[in-house]
């Protein structure tokens, strides 16, 4: 079993706001990319030091700073200082075991999210933490690793005719979250396929492996549920428009995501009920098999035990057993035994055991 | 198993409002019918291009535009443009995997619904997505396929003396939703019949097929529940009158539907509890059968094993076994064995095993 | 199984407010009785046409019109016209498959209720629909059949000294609903008796019939719950005094009923938990019985199989088997076998199998 | 099973406020005691007629009238008249099958409670109904039987230095309710002990009796839960201070009780989860035992059946069986059989069956 | 089983506010330490009498009085008097069986909490009660025993450069609660490890001990849940800022803790679902094992029983059995039996029993 936890024991007793990276240790350098755009102009570049992004803070264009890797806490610290982010938020960004959450400040909104995705190689669900800082004209996104979840959005930004270029930073944040929710749908489809495979096995030849597969699926759904449930709250809070940073025209988009998360949660619920049903079928097919075996044993036993008893009788060594001397004693005994066996078989037929 | 999902992977990363038809691919042309009426006049026609409907938008009469087929997205797009529908709503109309939902705008209300119905041929529950756009004087309805759910309403509209002609577009929307809820009742009756059939089998000769039938029914209820549960919210929102497009006099009708959805949900709940009970009966009847078999084996074994042991004794070849020489040795042995068998049978009677 | 549904398929697509009787078809005439009273005077009569009741509508005395039978829809229609009842309410009155509900209008309150009662002959719970229309000075009550639920109230009304004569129509409605709730308590007592009977069987000799009885009881509770749960909402709405037709002094009475419905629901809940416990006991007694049988088989087998093996050895026909020629060979063999049997029995005692 | 109900069928159809004692019939006279006190003075006496208490109604001192026995309804009626208590409340006082409830009037608060306590003799939980009427300067308490729950409070009242003498009637009501909650804790401890006893048996030698004990405990908790759950609402209502009869300084005491009821409910919940666990252990120990027995049977059978077959072979009477004539035929056969038996035992060891 | 309760029967009937220590009896002296600090100065000392702390009450510096041991009630009483704490709160402090709770007064906030921690020696979860009194410039903390949970905070206070020195008493209270929540994470990790160990056993060789380990874990989670659930309410109440003693700038820190408690509760929930899955696997592995055994018995029986029957036939002593005289009778019989055995084995292969 993969552990549910990333170890955080090291943090006990440390002051809040201490930036300690929690997650898998890494050595790769952090990759920082900046995209700056408005309806007319577009600029995209990779920078080697975070300071180069700072000039975009107060520009009127929309700026998207994406940081792949949160293990170099000094970068996070510098961002925090320049954009005046609360230390607790920075701590959440680098601790990749956070529960999805939203914090609304006057100057910015911080959003911690989870992207669950299916790792085809390891046949596992992985969960990547993504943090967003949404300011008035900028979005800063932090990912644990360099993954390509956001590539489609970059594609759309690069083209002048997509409506995304006309909207502000809040809409950019929406598209980033939308991608995350779409990834959940993809994951659900993967699980749906898995479920179909299991079900076919279940109706064919269920084995111990089928049981483990069912339980594995159940656990995967548990994981997924744990990411989506708080996501619902986060999106709901954005949709209700508790911050002026979210424009009214953008709210309907967040509401759309909200509906999608509900849809996902309902599907997870349905999946779980179906898995319970599959467990029932598995267990009763076990019982059925045992039943069948015992019935077979019973039939064999019931037919032969009386016959063997009869052979036992004529195997006794009494001096005076008249049947033994009969000429037809042997064939009569054989016929008698055959008769008993046939009667038994009729009886079982009548009892629907055969 | 029918998959729970219509594939939507193709949509990951696309901008919101992109009209991509999600659902079964089709080639039939889209059928557009227009009904325009008020208390005095009535007009019904099938049109070949959507533009011909546009003139009804601002007429004072009530106009019902029904579109059978949402796979030609250009038609949907034209409607969206002319009636100024938000792109996200249009996207929902063509994606037939939506969760039932309602969006209330100043100018119109958009309602996405599901009609579950029983496909007698395939012995399956099918779910059809129906979308309604309710404006001040018009209703636009979208169906995935040409089905005849709404035919009774057309019948009523055609006759001058039905009260429906006196009411506005909101009442028309109500009748459309009412038909959907009535279809759910019909479906429940079908499932009720199925349940009775299963129950009879269960009390007669339950088999593996009975188990699968129970689980199939359980899944069908899950499907139904998934459509009705959000329908409740949708109708509740209409009944509370959150939009001026719903007149006060119409609200009581929506309230009636609301009560019906509650009724359906309670019946589904009751069905599910009864199914749980049926599973219990199935499993304990399995146990009972196994019990019976084992008891039979035990009785046979218990009677004959000691008898066979006795024949074994007198089958031994010891030279000095006085009984073997007795004149009546054989009949005495037989009587002795008969006596043991009878004692055993008495014992079983007393233990209530026979 | 009695079906959960009264068929309503016939209503699909009909306009709302169409009065179609849903329920068992009947030919008996509808019985109409009128009771008109105030503190001083009292008048009770059976009328043959509904028009004769209409004069009481605006009298200052309290009038109670009771209608036994809702299958003659023309009578209901006339009442609806004279007392200006909304068509949807009339439809609910004649459709006897309604969920208990309350509708509060300015001029009147309509209440649809269910009286569950135990039919001693059929050993079933029956459910009768009762509808009340409460106006300022009148109560109209509709019952499906002529039953005597309300007789005690008539008795009280006939006597001048009972306080009921001093109160208004709202108090009369209260007493009618109170009778319904009291009937539920009676029903609970019947079910409580049934439960005790089952429990005794369960601890004595549980059989398949016991299982069916448990499930039958469970289903009966499900039925009861379905009637009482919405009743709670109905009474709660009256108690909160959402209508001026309910005087303040009467509210405390409705609150008393409200507490009673809570009490009933809690008892139903308790019953259901106890039934779950009974199922557990039934299943584990099945297991116990199987255990006992298998243990018996094991003991018999374990004792005799080795013994039979020994007789087999001395039944072999080898020429050179010295024991066979011993004078005491036979008794020694017998004693040896007895020794083995006794050792076995000791072993089982130690293992607590005997 | 003790019935869950005290019979109330006799009440169906009676007017509300009719005082009919529901509960065990009794003949003992009702005992009435009056305690009248303030910070300075204290008076305690037993009176033989209720009228002698009436003079205390409007005195400025705090008066506590305790009535042991509610079966003499005329006493209750007199109190009702003198203290102007609503007839419905009086009805609740004498019907000892009430759900705990609170009714807040301008002049007084009526509180119906249940004291569950453990009857050591009958090994049962009993439930006693206690009703309190809290006025401005008086508390009237009604108990079904003369029990000594309230004795500690009398003790404290008798001593001048206890703070209780400084507070008003609301504080007295608090202490009475506090005693009831403390009794629940005592009861929980008793059940906790019972649970430990059962658990020891469960890990030692579980038997059918253990199962019944588990279910008995489960039912006891159900009973307890039914009393405490509504108590929570009652105390919560007092704590929120919905009546001016409860002084602000007393509210914190009610809040303390409220926390205690929450604590009790959480403990009951924990107990119930533990009982579910105990049932699981019981059932799987049943399965284990069956497993063990079957395995034993299998081992015995598997070892001896092939051996017996071999003896059968050499017991055949064919004329030409060379082995029979061998000098060492017999010992070789014996050794051969021993070899098979040893191989079998090795096989079982390897399979971890031994 | 460790009892769920600390005995509190001794308290029944005592007046509220009576200080009776509930918990394990102890003789060690109570240890009192005082830390007094602001941004510039820091003072830490252990005092031998509680009076020496009183001078800090009104100083402008932040004072933290920590009391290890609540069994000397006279100390608690003195504190209560000097800091004017409500007697009920003092009672809660010394009764170490309290439910976590918060009471907000004008002058101070009292917080009762539980620290669950894993006792490595006894392999048990222990729960320590910690009470905090938060005033304007002071925090008084009470622990049952001298434990070192708070040592890291003292460390941080001793160093001048930590931000904690700049904040007030509310921030100090936050750090104390934060430590408690961090301890819960540590505990969760311990349980996570335990779960992994059990799971490995479960997939390897599950035994009765595995079942007990599963149930033990389940119970531990129950304990943990009971401590954390009310903690959520406590922290939620602080975060909502219901008291002016909590400064606005501190609220975000409490909100952070609030998110952590939610995270813990969700993890507990996930753990519990996984445990349910483990129980399912355990039970079905039991069934599987039984299945396997019975199948083995059936195969052995089915092969040998007919063979033994055949040897029985040729062991009969009929005079006229032609086969017995055949020269090849014996080898033919042996071959015939071998043939039957081989056919049987084929049959089992086909049935997938081998």
């Amino acid at each position: 079993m993969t552990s549910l936890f990333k170890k955080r024991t090291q943090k006990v007793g440390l002051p809040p706001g201490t930036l300690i990276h929690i997650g898998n240790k890494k050595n790769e350098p952090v990759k920082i990319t900046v995209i700056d755009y408005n309806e007319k102009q577009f600029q995209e570049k990779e920078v080697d030091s975070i300071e180069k992004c700072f000039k975009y803070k107060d520009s009127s264009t929309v700026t998207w700073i994406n940081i792949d890797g949160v293990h170099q806490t000094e970068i996070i610290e510098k961002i925090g200082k320049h954009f005046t982010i609360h230390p607790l938020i920075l701590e959440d960004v680098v601790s990749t075991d956070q529960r999805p959450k939203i914090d609304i400040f006057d100057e910015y909104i911080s959003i911690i999210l989870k992207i669950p995705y299916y790792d085809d190689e390891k046949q596992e669900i992985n969960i990547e933490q993504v943090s967003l800082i949404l300011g008035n004209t900028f979005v800063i996104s932090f990912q644990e690793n360099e993954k390509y979840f956001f590539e489609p959005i970059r594609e759309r930004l690069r083209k002048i005719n997509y409506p995304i270029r006309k909207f502000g930073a809040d809409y950019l944040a929406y598209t980033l979250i939308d991608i995350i929710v779409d990834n959940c749908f993809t994951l659900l489809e993967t699980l749906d396929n898995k479920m179909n495979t299991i079900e076919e096995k279940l109706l064919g030849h269920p084995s111990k492996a089928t049981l483990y597969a069912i339980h594995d699926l159940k656990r995967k759904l548990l994981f997924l549920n744990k990411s989506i449930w708080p996501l619902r709250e986060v999106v709901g809070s954005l949709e209700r428009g508790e911050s002026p940073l979210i424009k009214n025209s953008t709210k309907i988009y967040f509401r759309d995501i909200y509906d999608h998360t509900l849809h996902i949660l309902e599907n997870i619920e349905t999946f779980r009920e179906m898995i319970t049903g599959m467990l029932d079928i598995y267990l009763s097919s076990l019982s059925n098999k045992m039943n069948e075996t015992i019935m077979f044993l019973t039939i064999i036993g019931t037919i032969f035990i009386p016959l063997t008893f009869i052979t036992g009788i004529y195997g006794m060594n009494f001096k005076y057993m008249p049947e033994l001397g009969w000429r037809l004693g042997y064939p009569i005994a054989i016929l008698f035994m055959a008769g008993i066996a046939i009667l038994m078989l009729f009886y079982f037929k009548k009892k629907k055991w055969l």
Side-chain angles (χ1 to χ4, degrees), chain A residues 46-57:
Chain A
E46 196 176 326
V47 297
D48 52 1
S49 94
I50 187 64
E51 284 82 358
K52 294 187 181 154
C53 308
F54 291 169
K55 62 175 177 187
Y56 295 108
K57 189 188 167 188

Side-chain angles (χ1 to χ4, degrees), chain A residues 196-214 278 281-286 288-289 292:
Chain A
N196 285 341
T197 315
I198 292 175
E199 199 156 55
E200 271 162 36
K201 272 188 201 146
L202 201 60
L203 300 183
H205 289 289
S207 69
K208 239 174 170 173
T210 322
L211 177 68
Y212 296 151
I214 292 174
M278 281 156 77
I281 290 184
Y282 176 78
L283 288 174
S284 71
S285 82
L286 260 196
N288 256 319
K289 211 171 152 190
E292 211 182 319

Side-chain angles (χ1 to χ4, degrees), chain A residues 302-303 306 339-349 354:
Chain A
T302 310
I303 289 178
I340 286 177
I342 288 164
L343 274 178
M344 285 284 185
L345 289 172
F346 265 108
Y347 179 74
F348 294 147
K349 263 256 138 63
L354 281 177

Side-chain angles (χ1 to χ4, degrees), chain A residues 175-338:
Chain A
T175 55
L176 295 174
I177 299 174
D178 192 35
I179 282 280
I180 292 172
V181 174
D182 278 350
N183 262 288
C184 292
F185 274 111
T186 312
L187 185 50
L188 272 188
E189 281 177 27
T190 311
L191 295 183
D192 186 38
N193 288 339
K194 281 201 167 297
M195 198 133 83
N196 285 341
T197 315
I198 292 175
E199 199 156 55
E200 271 162 36
K201 272 188 201 146
L202 201 60
L203 300 183
H205 289 289
S207 69
K208 239 174 170 173
T210 322
L211 177 68
Y212 296 151
I214 292 174
H215 274 286
D216 188 52
L217 194 59
K218 202 174 163 184
R219 180 170 297 170
K220 286 191 170 71
L221 284 170
L222 232 61
F223 260 71
L224 193 55
N225 202 44
K226 259 183 69 178
S227 311
I228 307 297
W229 192 255
L231 175 59
R232 208 187 102 264
E233 297 165 27
V234 168
V235 178
S237 162
L238 288 166
E239 178 232 338
R240 280 190 303 277
E242 292 165 356
S243 159
L245 290 169
I246 307 294
K247 279 167 223 128
N248 269 326
S249 58
T250 316
K251 274 177 206 166
I252 186 175
Y253 292 98
F254 281 112
R255 186 162 174 204
D256 197 53
I257 302 187
Y258 187 75
D259 281 331
H260 287 172
T261 56
L262 284 189
H263 201 177
I264 291 171
L265 287 171
E266 282 176 0
N267 277 325
I268 291 177
E269 196 51 42
T270 308
F271 275 22
R272 291 176 69 176
E273 298 234 16
M274 280 162 72
I275 281 177
T276 305
M278 281 156 77
L279 272 174
D280 282 351
I281 290 184
Y282 176 78
L283 288 174
S284 71
S285 82
L286 260 196
S287 280
N288 256 319
K289 211 171 152 190
M290 205 185 303
N291 233 343
E292 211 182 319
T293 322
I294 287 182
M295 201 158 281
F296 193 85
L297 182 62
T298 304
I299 289 170
I300 292 291
T302 310
I303 289 178
F304 281 101
I305 286 177
L307 301 188
T308 303
F309 167 65
I310 291 171
T311 69
I313 284 184
Y314 292 110
M316 293 193 297
N317 298 319
F318 284 103
K319 266 201 184 119
Y320 307 98
M321 290 180 67
E323 299 98 313
L324 295 182
W326 296 353
R327 255 239 107 94
L328 294 175
Y330 176 51
I332 286 172
I334 295 288
L335 285 174
F336 181 55
M337 291 189 275

Side-chain angles (χ1 to χ4, degrees), chain A residues 7-42:
Chain A
K7 295 282 167 254
R8 37 180 299 161
T9 322
Q10 45 179 323
K11 286 189 68 176
V12 175
L14 284 183
T18 313
L19 297 193
I20 288 203
H21 171 58
I22 295 206
N24 300 321
K25 295 289 159 224
K26 278 178 301 213
N27 293 317
E28 307 102 64
V30 166
K31 186 178 158 195
I32 305 169
T33 51
V34 188
I35 292 178
D36 188 72
Y37 66 92
N38 62 14
E39 204 171 342
K40 304 261 170 57
Q41 64 198 54
F42 176 85

